Every structure is written in C-alpha cells, then in structure tokens.
Amino acid sequence: MSRSKNNLIVDSIKTYQAKLVTPFAVLGIRTEEDWLTDIEYLPIDTQPLAPQNSLAKEVCRQLQAYLTEPDFTFDLCLHISGTTHQRRVWQAIQTIPSGETSSYAEIAAQLHSAPRAVGRACGANRIPIVIPCHRVIAKNGGLGGFMNASDGDPLEIKRWLLRHEST
C-alpha cells in the first residue's frame, strides 16, 4: 500500500469490496467472510465501486445512513485485530456519543494509559467512522492528529466529520 503526501491511501494494490463516494473522500471498504475488516480514506477522485457482496452492500447502506443522520448507530460485525491496549482504546472510543468529543488525555486516564499511546491506537484504527476515532481531540480542544497526520487532508476529513455530527 502506498500513501500520498497527505496520507490518503493510494489504492493501486488493494482489493476492495466497495468504494463509496462521500463528501470528504471515497471510502474503500474491505470485508472478509462475515466481517468488516477495513474502511480506508481514498482520494476523492477515486473511481467508485458498487458493493461486490451482501456485507459490503450493508456496510455502504449503514455508512450512507450515518451520512444522512449523524446519530445513526452502526450494527456491523467487526474484525478488530490489534493489541490489547488498542482494543481497549477502540472500545472506549465507541462509547463517545455522536456530536461529542473526548480528549486523548481523558481516555488515557480512563484506561490508566498515556495520551500518546491513545493517539497511536487511534492512528492504528482500521475501521474509522464505525470506530469513531475522529471524536478524540487534544486536551486543549484542538483537533490533535488524525490518520497519523497532523495536517492536510486527514484533518480536513476530521473537521468535516465533527461538523457533520454537531448539526
């Protein structure tokens, strides 16, 4: 997998089961059997791809429901692989309600961890939006990072998602 200068994935090698056009990026959706395994932010000019299986169709349906109604609750089987710490962070993130945020420091205190470790776990999240790492911000109210980036398109995506949920 290669990345462009602003950290969006260039999908020259990966196989996706769908590519969903959104206002902020094309979402590359990967599934494996009955599990959602990845949602990746692809450049906005990426060719869309109709869902290639029933799970990809359901993932697209639920993502579109979220884009229409930011309070939508996802109901998908997720294949979450990561360290014990990462999984604890992702579980904590999933409890942050739409329209609200929590800081890296708050989550770190809750998990008896460190803010940077929480940030690294957020950056390793392979199922963004469904596991809403965009709701995690810096203690001072700043955006912090997103997709392991501190500027460029990733932060514009984070801003868009937070604005969408605050309406």
Side-chain angles (χ1 to χ4, degrees):
M1 148 179 70
S2 61
R3 293 187 181 267
S4 68
K5 66 180 175 144
N6 47 18
N7 220 26
L8 293 178
I9 294 175
V10 179
D11 69 355
S12 58
I13 301 171
K14 291 209 171 199
T15 301
Y16 297 96
Q17 283 68 53
K19 294 179 190 171
L20 178 67
V21 176
T22 71
F24 50 86
V26 172
L27 300 178
I29 297 161
R30 299 186 73 211
T31 62
E32 187 175 301
E33 297 176 8
D34 295 334
W35 305 92
L36 172 60
T37 61
D38 297 89
I39 297 175
E40 297 174 343
Y41 297 104
L42 305 175
I44 199 74
D45 61 352
T46 301
Q47 279 293 113
L49 175 67
Q52 302 295 298
N53 60 45
S54 60
L55 177 56
K57 185 175 183 178
E58 179 62 15
V59 171
C60 288
R61 185 194 72 74
Q62 290 194 30
L63 285 166
Q64 288 170 324
Y66 164 79
L67 292 171
T68 302
E69 178 51 54
D71 289 335
F72 178 80
T73 301
F74 290 96
D75 183 22
L76 297 164
C77 293
L78 309 179
H79 185 272
I80 303 173
S81 60
T83 67
T84 300
H85 181 264
Q86 288 171 333
R87 289 192 310 267
R88 289 178 61 221
V89 169
W90 299 332
Q91 191 171 41
I93 290 169
Q94 287 180 287
T95 67
I96 305 169
S98 179
E100 295 183 26
T101 58
S102 185
S103 73
Y104 299 98
E106 290 167 333
I107 293 171
Q110 175 186 341
L111 300 177
H112 307 289
S113 181
R116 283 183 189 247
V118 170
R120 283 191 299 274
C122 287
N125 175 16
R126 293 176 39 197
I127 310 174
I129 301 175
V130 177
I131 300 174
C133 53
H134 61 274
R135 295 180 189 154
V136 184
I137 60 172
K139 182 171 57 173
N140 65 6
L143 287 181
F146 191 58
M147 296 169 24
N148 294 314
S150 57
D151 63 7
D153 289 346
L155 289 187
E156 289 307 313
I157 291 170
K158 185 171 185 170
R159 279 187 193 93
W160 191 97
L161 292 167
L162 291 172
R163 275 193 311 266
H164 171 63
E165 292 181 358
S166 68
T167 57

